[in-house]
């Protein structure tokens, strides 16, 4: 039987049943003729229909009301909540074309939050048949119920044999398996069946649950699945919030259970198209679902830290090593970023290549999972694959990446930066941090008519700065002679270096040593007195210490400020801001234009990132979680009596230090032990919004075991022997002792390939 035939059969048996519609007759075309006066079409007036239906129900009539889901749920919500829910009237509300079934209709017709909305209505039952067979089976049960019910209409052909009669609050288990439980409802059962077939062909055992009703829900089926299968997958054509995924999470919380859950749900409106195209485009067809589940299963569970793990519990890194061999001789130093390179990890122990990331976790090319404390060396402020940022990137990708004229996002993001950053009277975008620091130096020279630069910190690879390091070959001596350094927190070192030819003082406002009281303020005053521009390099402090960076946090305003890293959550974008009279030189006198400065994906990511930071109080979270890591590490070190190690630095980003000649060996050993316990660490706590309490607790547990093992290795005098690979190499980057001058350059150079300068003694 069809839905219409079933409805008419029930109406013949029950003379009090009345069928209503708000001009939605697609499934009930023959009902008006047979029911005559018991059929009412109110036109496009859903609120009127609900009010009238409530009045009829109060007079003992049993009403089945039909409308498009989105209009029934959203447009008439107040009437549904008040007239039906609070009044506890036994109406049946039939919502047509929910979820993906609206296919070619736009957002006004897309009911992808209907379950979430109606879960807020007192006493409202929510029934979601998967096909016409189940719809026909559910209808008599729903009409017989004395509770108000929302019936999420789906009359597609059945793809399974429904052996179990429909019952409210009872899920239908369609297959047995202990690898994955796939929970779904409504139309998506069709795609879930296809995904199960593909997974089982690959040897994955899948338990398929057709939930059928979401209120009441079969909590026993959810709990059993959580206890008996490795992965729960929630599949729904509904927003991720408020639907089945939320119901599963609430059930697990109520039962105090922990389970691995993969939600496959919507995070935004879908692009209207034919149904098959919608499913393929959104990644909800059976093939895409199976691939996502397969990828998730390929990521092993996070390993519980266990004391005294043997060497065999170090991760298998065979594919990392193979890729490294292929890179040798092809990619200089095998890496694009020195801090990510193999020299910064214990070779033979730590992974070298990462494949994917999500939240605060990463997976290497061999499938090993880690909590990440490096977070791409700073660009990630919200975490890997943040939904809001990724959605913004995908949406912009639909329109294009870079264009022949300027893009509106250039204006929109510049306005956001101006709102956030003190003194940002004008804004210029580029791609890398050293782009904008070098532009700032050029601007300072143009504005002041002077040449020399005083620097403190790390500012990138360009000639004007890198000449003060040991990696300065290829830089003319005359260029190197124009840059000097000074010691952080030592105003006297600035006063000694500054002269009448100094164009600017550029520094990281804070690295890991906090500024002494008055240092930044006095530096600002000194620069003003001497006619020197003050430039803040805020790659690490911008959008971390405060939304307005160090200028906001410390209350000191620079003439120019440079940003990158955190602003776009991993997309390449840098920002130069500052005084209008200085920045306006970029109009004609100073050339700083780039092809990719207005690239739209990165700007879309920045807009979304700044929006998330504002909406979710992200910076307070970074500070709180960073304090827990820094202070927790120090508490463990004190408890173990390890006076040679400590964590220092501001709340959102701190660094672990080791004292003495064996500092690199101690760092290498701790890194090795953290890798053993599933933690990727390079000596820093680069905290993001994705680092929740669970990750912090796991890291501190790993620290406790690593430091205990370090204590034993040091006491036994076998520290080097306890490192099971090649130790970490030193880097040139300094964290202190900046008060230096450019070293004299030899007149002759060793031949190419003869090696280079030794790395500095201080670690990055």
């Amino acid at each position: 039987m069809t839905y219409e035939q079933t409805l008419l059969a029930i109406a013949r048996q029950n003379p009090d049943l009345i069928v209503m519609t708000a001009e939605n007759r697609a499934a009930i075309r023959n009902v008006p003729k047979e029911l005559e006066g018991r059929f009412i079409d109110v036109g496009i007036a859903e609120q009127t229909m609900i009010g009238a239906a409530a009045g009829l129900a109060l007079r003992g009539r049993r009403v089945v009301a039909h409308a498009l889901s989105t209009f029934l749920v959203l447009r008439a919500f107040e009437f549904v909540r008040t007239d039906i829910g609070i009044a506890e009237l036994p109406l049946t509300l039939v919502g047509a074309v929910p979820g993906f079934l609206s296919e070619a209709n736009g957002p006004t017709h897309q009911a992808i939050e209907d379950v979430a909305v109606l879960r807020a209505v007192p006493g409202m039952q929510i029934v979601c048949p998967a096909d016409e067979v189940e719809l026909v089976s559910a209808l008599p049960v729903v009409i017989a119920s004395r509770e108000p019910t929302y019936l999420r209409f789906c009359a597609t052909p059945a793809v399974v044999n429904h052996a179990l009669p429909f019952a409210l609050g009872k899920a239908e288990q369609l297959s047995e398996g202990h690898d994955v439980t796939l929970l779904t409802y409504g139309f998506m059962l069709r795609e879930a069946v296809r995904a199960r077939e593909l997974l089982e062909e690959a040897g994955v055992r899948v338990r398929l649950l057709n939930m059928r009703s979401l209120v009441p829900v079969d909590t026993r089926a959810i709990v059993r699945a959580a206890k008996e299968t490795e992965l729960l997958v929630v599949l729904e054509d509904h927003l991720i919030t408020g639907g089945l995924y939320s119901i599963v999470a609430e059930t697990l919380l109520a039962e105090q259970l922990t389970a691995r859950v993969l939600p496959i749900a919507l995070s935004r409106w879908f692009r209207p198209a034919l149904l098959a195209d919608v499913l393929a485009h959104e990644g909800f067809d059976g093939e895409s679902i199976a691939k996502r589940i397969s990828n998730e299963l390929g990521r092993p569970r996070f390993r519980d830290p266990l004391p005294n793990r043997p060497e065999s519990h170090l991760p298998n890194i065979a594919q990392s090593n193979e890729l490294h061999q292929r890179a040798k001789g092809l990619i200089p130093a095998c890496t694009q970023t020195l801090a990510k390179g193999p020299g910064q990890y214990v070779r033979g122990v730590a992974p070298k290549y990462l494949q994917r990331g999500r939240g605060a976790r990463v997976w290497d090319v061999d499938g090993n999972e880690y909590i990440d404390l490096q977070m791409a060396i700073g660009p990630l402020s919200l975490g890997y694959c943040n939904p809001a940022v990724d959605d913004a990137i995908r949406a912009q990708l639909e329109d294009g990446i870079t264009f022949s004229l300027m893009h509106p996002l250039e204006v929109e993001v510049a306005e956001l930066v101006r709102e956030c950053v003190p003194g940002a009277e004008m804004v210029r975008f580029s791609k890398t941090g050293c782009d904008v620091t070098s532009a700032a130096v050029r601007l300072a020279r143009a504005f002041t008519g002077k040449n020399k630069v005083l620097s403190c910190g790390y500012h990138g690879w360009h000639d004007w700065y890198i000449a003060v390091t040991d990696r300065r070959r290829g830089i003319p001596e005359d260029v190197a002679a124009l840059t000097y350094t000074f010691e952080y927190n030592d105003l006297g070192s600035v006063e000694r270096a500054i002269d009448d030819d100094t164009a600017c003082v550029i520094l990281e406002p804070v690295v890991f040593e906090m500024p002494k009281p008055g240092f930044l303020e006095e530096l600002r005053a000194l620069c003003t007195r001497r006619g020197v521009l003050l430039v803040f390099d805020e790659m690490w402090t911008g959008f971390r210490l405060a939304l307005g960076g160090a200028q906001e946090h410390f209350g000191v305003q620079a003439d120019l400020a440079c940003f990158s890293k955190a602003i776009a959550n991993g997309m390449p974008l840098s920002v130069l801001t500052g005084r209008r009279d200085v920045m306006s030189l970029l109009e004609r006198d100073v050339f700083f234009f780039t092809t990719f400065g207005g690239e739209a994906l990165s700007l879309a990511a920045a807009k979304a990132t700044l929006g998330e930071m504002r909406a979710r109080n992200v910076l307070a979270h970074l500070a709180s979680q960073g304090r827990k890591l820094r202070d927790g590490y120090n508490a463990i070190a004190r408890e173990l009596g390890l006076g040679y190690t400590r964590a220092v630095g501001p709340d959102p980003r701190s660094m672990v230090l080791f004292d003495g000649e064996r500092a690199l060996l101690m760092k290498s050993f701790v890194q090795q032990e953290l890798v053993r316990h599933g933690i990727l660490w390079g000596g820093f706590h680069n905290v993001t919004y994705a680092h929740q309490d669970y990750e912090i607790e796991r890291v501190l547990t790993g620290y406790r075991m690593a430091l205990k093992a370090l204590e034993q290795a040091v006491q036994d005098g076998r520290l080097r022997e306890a490192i099971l690979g090649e130790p970490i190499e030193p880097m040139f980057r300094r964290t202190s002792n900046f008060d230096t001058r450019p070293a004299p350059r030899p007149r002759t150079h060793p031949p190419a390939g003869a090696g280079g300068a030794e790395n500095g003694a201080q670690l990055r």
Side-chain angles (χ1 to χ4, degrees), residues 148-163:
T149 303
Y150 171 58
L151 187 62
R152 206 173 196 249
F153 189 92
C154 178
T156 57
V159 295
V160 298
N161 177 27
H162 297 287

Side-chain angles (χ1 to χ4, degrees), residues 429-579:
F429 297 119
S430 192
K431 290 285 103 181
T432 71
C434 57
D435 285 355
V436 289
T437 56
S438 296
V441 167
R442 185 181 294 178
L443 268 176
R445 286 170 168 163
F447 184 81
T448 63
K450 303 173 185 179
N451 298 302
K452 293 181 182 177
V453 176
L454 300 185
S455 71
C456 179
Y458 172 78
H459 307 296
W461 69 274
H462 288 309
D463 287 7
W464 71 267
Y465 168 73
I466 209 68
V468 305
T469 75
D470 53 22
R471 298 195 176 206
R472 58 186 180 270
R473 285 189 59 183
I475 300 171
E477 293 178 20
D478 290 344
V479 173
L482 294 175
T483 303
Y484 298 83
T485 63
F486 62 92
E487 181 69 19
Y488 188 73
N489 265 333
D490 182 358
L491 195 66
S493 69
V494 185
E495 292 173 328
R496 289 191 299 272
I498 203 166
D499 63 21
D500 292 338
D501 196 32
T502 302
C504 67
V505 171
I506 181 170
L507 77 159
E508 295 180 78
V510 59
V511 185
F512 295 106
E513 179 186 355
M514 298 301 289
K516 294 177 180 177
F519 171 69
L520 292 177
E521 293 83 353
E522 292 172 13
L523 179 62
R524 168 70 278 177
L526 174 62
C527 289
T528 301
R529 288 197 308 271
R530 297 299 299 267
V532 171
L533 294 190
L534 177 61
V535 181
F536 278 178
D537 178 343
E538 295 223 44
M539 303 305 153
W540 281 106
T541 54
F543 309 102
R544 273 195 172 89
L545 282 182
L547 199 59
Q551 295 182 97
E552 177 185 336
H553 184 78
F554 295 116
V556 176
Q557 190 166 310
D559 299 300
L560 297 171
C562 308
F563 301 88
S564 187
K565 294 191 185 284
I567 190 173
N569 199 50
M571 291 295 285
L573 183 69
S574 57
V575 186
L576 174 62
T577 71
R579 287 166 37 186

Side-chain angles (χ1 to χ4, degrees), residues 221-539:
I222 295 172
V223 169
R224 181 168 170 255
K227 291 180 177 179
E228 296 177 357
T229 54
E230 178 184 350
L231 174 67
L232 301 185
V233 178
V234 178
L235 173 64
E236 54 186 327
D237 55 345
H238 187 278
L239 288 180
I240 194 169
T241 301
L244 180 56
Y245 177 60
S246 293
I247 291 169
V248 169
E250 291 159 12
T251 301
L252 296 176
L253 183 63
E255 298 291 332
Q256 297 185 346
L257 291 175
T258 299
R260 187 180 181 189
V261 183
L262 171 65
I264 302 179
L266 290 163
S267 58
R268 54 175 170 76
W269 307 109
F270 58 86
R271 185 174 181 177
L274 295 177
L275 181 58
D277 295 332
V278 169
L279 295 174
H281 181 268
E282 299 297 331
F284 281 74
D285 59 305
E287 288 76 10
S288 298
I289 295 163
K291 184 176 181 180
R292 289 183 65 177
I293 295 171
S294 180
N295 288 341
E296 184 67 22
L297 287 172
R299 308 166 184 172
R301 280 186 182 273
F302 189 86
R303 301 181 299 277
D304 286 319
L306 299 174
N308 303 316
R309 280 193 169 190
E311 178 180 343
S312 60
H313 282 78
L314 288 168
N316 181 339
I317 56 171
Q319 292 188 50
S320 264
N321 289 337
E322 180 184 346
L323 283 167
H324 184 226
Q325 289 301 316
R326 290 164 57 187
K328 287 182 177 179
L330 176 64
I331 300 173
C334 297
T335 183
Q336 318 305 323
T337 307
L338 189 58
K340 299 180 183 181
Q344 296 310 298
Y345 295 88
V346 179
R347 279 168 289 176
V349 170
K352 298 178 179 68
Y353 293 89
L354 296 178
Q355 185 76 51
R356 63 180 72 247
R358 186 166 296 276
R361 308 295 181 91
V362 288
W363 289 262
D364 66 20
V365 292
D366 292 275
N368 302 299
E369 178 185 355
Y370 307 88
I371 290 177
D372 192 0
L373 293 178
Q374 296 287 79
M375 300 308 289
I377 322 299
L380 297 170
S381 48
L382 302 177
Y384 293 99
C385 294
N386 177 268
V389 177
D390 287 2
D391 283 348
I393 295 169
R394 279 191 288 264
Q396 181 56 49
L397 185 61
E398 292 288 336
D399 288 339
I401 301 171
T402 190
F403 300 89
S404 301
L405 296 175
M406 299 170 291
H407 192 276
L409 281 169
E410 297 178 46
V411 179
E412 294 168 14
V413 178
E415 289 172 337
L416 283 174
V417 171
R418 183 177 61 188
E419 291 174 12
C420 296
V421 177
E425 296 175 349
M426 296 187 79
V427 178
R428 166 73 88 214
F429 297 119
S430 192
K431 290 285 103 181
T432 71
C434 57
D435 285 355
V436 289
T437 56
S438 296
V441 167
R442 185 181 294 178
L443 268 176
R445 286 170 168 163
F447 184 81
T448 63
K450 303 173 185 179
N451 298 302
K452 293 181 182 177
V453 176
L454 300 185
S455 71
C456 179
Y458 172 78
H459 307 296
W461 69 274
H462 288 309
D463 287 7
W464 71 267
Y465 168 73
I466 209 68
V468 305
T469 75
D470 53 22
R471 298 195 176 206
R472 58 186 180 270
R473 285 189 59 183
I475 300 171
E477 293 178 20
D478 290 344
V479 173
L482 294 175
T483 303
Y484 298 83
T485 63
F486 62 92
E487 181 69 19
Y488 188 73
N489 265 333
D490 182 358
L491 195 66
S493 69
V494 185
E495 292 173 328
R496 289 191 299 272
I498 203 166
D499 63 21
D500 292 338
D501 196 32
T502 302
C504 67
V505 171
I506 181 170
L507 77 159
E508 295 180 78
V510 59
V511 185
F512 295 106
E513 179 186 355
M514 298 301 289
K516 294 177 180 177
F519 171 69
L520 292 177
E521 293 83 353
E522 292 172 13
L523 179 62
R524 168 70 278 177
L526 174 62
C527 289
T528 301
R529 288 197 308 271
R530 297 299 299 267
V532 171
L533 294 190
L534 177 61
V535 181
F536 278 178
D537 178 343
E538 295 223 44
M539 303 305 153

